[in-house]
Amino acid sequence: MRHASLLAILVLLPACMPPTLKAGLDIAEQGDFEGAARYFMQRLDDDAYDEVAGRGLDRVARDSYEVKLDVAREAEADRRFADSLAAFDEAEAWLVVLKDYDAVAWNPGDALDIEREEVRDRLALEHYVNGKDLVAKGQFEQGIASFAAAQEVRPNYEDTKALTTSAFHQWGLAEVKGGRYRQASDHFAEAVTRGAGHESIAWGSAVSAALGRYYLSTGHCRFAALEFRRVDRGAIHDTELNPEAERAEACARVELVVDRFDEIAGESISGTSLGAVASDQVVHELSSRGSEFIKLLDADAARAFTAPDAEPRPGHLYEVRGRVTQYRKERDEPNTETKTVDTKKRELCPPPDGPYYDQEDQWCDDPHVLMWDETRESVRWRIAGSVRVTDPGTAEQVLSKPLELSHSTEAIVRGELRREDGVEGPINLSLEREEGKYTVGQLFLDHRAEETEPLPNDGQLALHAAHRLAEEAAIAVLAAVDRPPLPPVPGRLAIEAPVTDASQLEFGGAEGPAEPTGFEPEGQ
């Protein structure tokens, strides 16, 4: 859009227009008011006292803002409410930028806020209506996403929270009817976490109990235990449920005993072998990374459980063994490099001859050269070993994996700043930077000086290597014993519709969940 104010500007400008002003207004004449404003802003960034750039920015500031408002209003008229809201936000952000440059000479008023809030209401309503329509069609995932979008625009909009909870419940009912029990269990559980009433709790418990029994019967104890944990004991009155849940928990347990790693590399850290350091760290990693079904045992307990006269125990017991077969470290010789950094000390030039109105402030650059002596060092380590996991009862080896890692570190260990001309004395970089006297070269030197740090010593390197080896060993162990495969999908499960009291439904939405009925699963 070409604004009338621009034409007035061009008519009133004198023929002897300063170059800076002419260049910016040429950009505005093409309709790019924001581009013109940014041009003047850049000139002001270079010189905060550039009065010509300041006048130019004042002339195009309002047009640049109005153009952004026009974009927002056009999008609203086209019912593109999301685009309109984004455009209003962009207009507000641009107004803040203009205010930072003291370029808002008019009173913007509160029109932007009022119009934006109207658009926000219309967008939230659009998401809300779409969400209800989608849920009514059985498109629960899309409907829930629409409710979430409405709440993002307007937190706690209408009854979107209650409708979302109801949608998860209805989704669960639909999945039970379709024989997709895992998904149904998840959806009922989600409804409960969102504050659903007794019906969701009862349905979720019924589905989880049936899944738990199925998984227990197929030997997938961990999944059985997880489903039994979801069952609300007050929602299902079944005397067999607790004993079944206890059996699932017991047989889902995975017990590990970590033996001290063998040491072949001959390296130690403060008198402690790398193998001992690695095995201690493996215990730590297994404890922090393992699931709640992982239990670490000491060697004495493991021997007692595996003795010939020991009673059979549910669950699994594994021994973890490993070794460190190689450790090497290499340090490079220090390398010093001298860098020359040209900086510029800026000062106002003497004013040239000529009429005053034809002059602009000019800056002259006084070269200022600094030297930076930078010393770098690098170090590399390589460690190798292996880890294996064995079932002591059957001597079956469930994991045998070689491990090999390497790492290199480089650091600026020393840095010295000096003058090229050899003049001694302090160089106060931070003060000069704050006063704006020097250019980017100075900032580079500051940054590099802050990077200076010592390299790790030999003990720190060996400790890091041992810990990294232990981390990889623990990850491999857990992948072998703490990541059971997903059990097969159940075919048909007998799930009775729980008896619920309609007065206990607590969704709060305009439309409650569907009445529960007995389902004949349709299969997967």
Side-chain angles (χ1 to χ4, degrees), residues 24-97:
L25 294 182
D26 283 346
I27 298 173
E29 188 178 4
Q30 303 303 316
D32 186 4
F33 294 95
E34 181 182 346
R38 291 192 180 280
Y39 169 80
F40 291 127
M41 289 175 182
Q42 183 60 55
R43 295 300 302 264
L44 288 169
D45 288 341
D46 294 338
D47 176 10
Y49 300 100
D50 189 335
E51 295 182 2
V52 173
R55 293 199 306 271
L57 179 58
D58 289 341
R59 293 187 179 186
V60 300
R62 184 166 186 172
D63 284 328
S64 68
Y65 173 67
E66 293 289 348
V67 165
K68 292 183 178 296
L69 288 182
D70 289 343
V71 171
R73 289 162 179 159
E74 289 171 5
E76 181 185 7
D78 293 340
R79 302 188 63 81
R80 293 182 288 110
F81 301 124
D83 293 340
S84 177
L85 186 60
F88 275 120
D89 289 341
E90 183 178 338
E92 181 184 47
W94 180 243
L95 187 64
V96 171
V97 173

Side-chain angles (χ1 to χ4, degrees), residues 289-302:
R289 293 173 178 270
S291 72
E292 69 270 30
F293 296 99
I294 293 293
K295 181 180 180 182
L296 296 171
L297 302 178
D298 58 32
D300 292 338

Side-chain angles (χ1 to χ4, degrees), residues 423-462:
V423 176
E424 297 182 357
I427 303 174
N428 193 336
L429 294 178
S430 59
L431 177 62
E432 293 167 344
R433 182 180 68 240
E434 291 170 1
E435 293 180 352
K437 295 180 181 178
Y438 292 94
T439 54
V440 178
Q442 214 85 9
L443 302 180
F444 161 80
L445 294 172
D446 258 354
H447 176 67
R448 297 302 279 269
E450 291 171 0
E451 286 185 346
T452 303
E453 61 180 355
L455 280 174
N457 59 37
D458 290 350
Q460 292 170 328
L461 289 173

Side-chain angles (χ1 to χ4, degrees), residues 145-473:
S146 288
F147 291 144
Q151 291 194 67
E152 185 177 349
V153 175
R154 280 284 188 217
N156 301 318
Y157 184 74
E158 297 293 337
D159 56 346
T160 48
K161 285 188 175 181
L163 290 177
T164 300
T165 302
S166 175
F168 273 110
H169 178 88
Q170 295 177 64
W171 197 0
L173 294 177
E175 298 291 35
V176 171
K177 188 174 182 179
R180 294 175 290 274
Y181 305 110
R182 288 181 192 149
Q183 294 89 332
S185 177
D186 290 340
H187 299 327
F188 287 129
E190 182 64 29
V192 171
T193 62
R194 292 172 178 267
H198 180 73
E199 187 173 11
S200 287
I201 296 173
W203 268 104
S205 296
V207 173
S208 291
L211 276 174
R213 287 186 170 120
Y214 168 75
Y215 291 143
L216 188 60
S217 69
T218 59
H220 296 88
C221 299
R222 176 174 299 196
F223 296 95
L226 291 173
E227 289 298 337
F228 283 134
R229 290 178 185 181
R230 284 181 166 182
V231 176
D232 187 309
R233 299 304 193 266
I236 291 185
H237 305 288
D238 189 333
T239 58
E240 294 296 322
L241 189 61
N242 284 341
E244 290 173 328
E246 291 173 0
R247 289 204 305 273
E249 292 286 347
C251 74
R253 185 173 57 239
V254 177
E255 296 172 323
L256 300 174
V257 56
V258 180
D259 291 340
R260 178 168 172 169
F261 278 32
D262 296 333
E263 167 62 50
I264 298 178
E267 185 78 21
S268 65
I269 305 171
S270 301
T272 303
S273 71
L274 282 184
V277 172
S279 54
D280 288 344
Q281 187 65 20
V282 166
V283 171
H284 171 75
E285 295 288 344
L286 292 173
S287 177
S288 61
R289 293 173 178 270
S291 72
E292 69 270 30
F293 296 99
I294 293 293
K295 181 180 180 182
L296 296 171
L297 302 178
D298 58 32
D300 292 338
R303 281 192 293 270
F305 294 150
T306 57
D309 56 346
E311 295 184 2
R313 286 170 55 80
H316 301 277
L317 173 65
Y318 298 106
E319 286 184 325
V320 180
R321 293 190 174 95
R323 61 175 55 191
V324 180
T325 57
Q326 185 184 62
Y327 173 71
R328 289 181 179 175
K329 62 180 180 296
E330 297 177 355
R331 288 183 180 271
D332 291 338
E333 291 295 324
N335 177 43
T336 301
E337 182 180 357
T338 299
K339 301 179 183 294
T340 301
V341 182
D342 295 325
T343 63
K344 296 176 181 179
K345 185 175 182 181
R346 308 198 70 204
E347 294 180 346
L348 282 173
C349 301
D353 297 332
Y356 174 77
Y357 60 80
D358 197 28
Q359 295 182 20
E360 293 185 46
D361 289 338
Q362 299 292 329
W363 290 85
C364 293
D365 296 328
D366 180 20
H368 190 84
V369 181
L370 297 175
M371 309 297 289
W372 174 254
D373 298 327
E374 183 174 284
T375 302
R376 289 177 173 269
E377 289 185 14
S378 62
V379 62
R380 295 178 296 279
W381 57 255
R382 177 180 179 277
I383 192 168
S386 62
V387 62
R388 58 189 184 279
V389 178
T390 306
D391 184 336
T394 63
E396 177 189 2
Q397 189 167 269
V398 298
L399 173 69
S400 179
K401 182 176 182 179
L403 303 169
E404 184 174 334
L405 299 98
S406 60
H407 180 74
S408 62
T409 301
E410 183 182 61
I412 304 171
V413 296
R414 287 185 300 278
E416 182 181 357
L417 184 64
R418 57 188 173 86
R419 298 178 186 275
E420 184 187 40
D421 55 15
V423 176
E424 297 182 357
I427 303 174
N428 193 336
L429 294 178
S430 59
L431 177 62
E432 293 167 344
R433 182 180 68 240
E434 291 170 1
E435 293 180 352
K437 295 180 181 178
Y438 292 94
T439 54
V440 178
Q442 214 85 9
L443 302 180
F444 161 80
L445 294 172
D446 258 354
H447 176 67
R448 297 302 279 269
E450 291 171 0
E451 286 185 346
T452 303
E453 61 180 355
L455 280 174
N457 59 37
D458 290 350
Q460 292 170 328
L461 289 173
L463 183 65
H464 183 217
H467 281 187
R468 286 287 293 111
L469 185 78
E471 180 182 354
E472 292 299 315

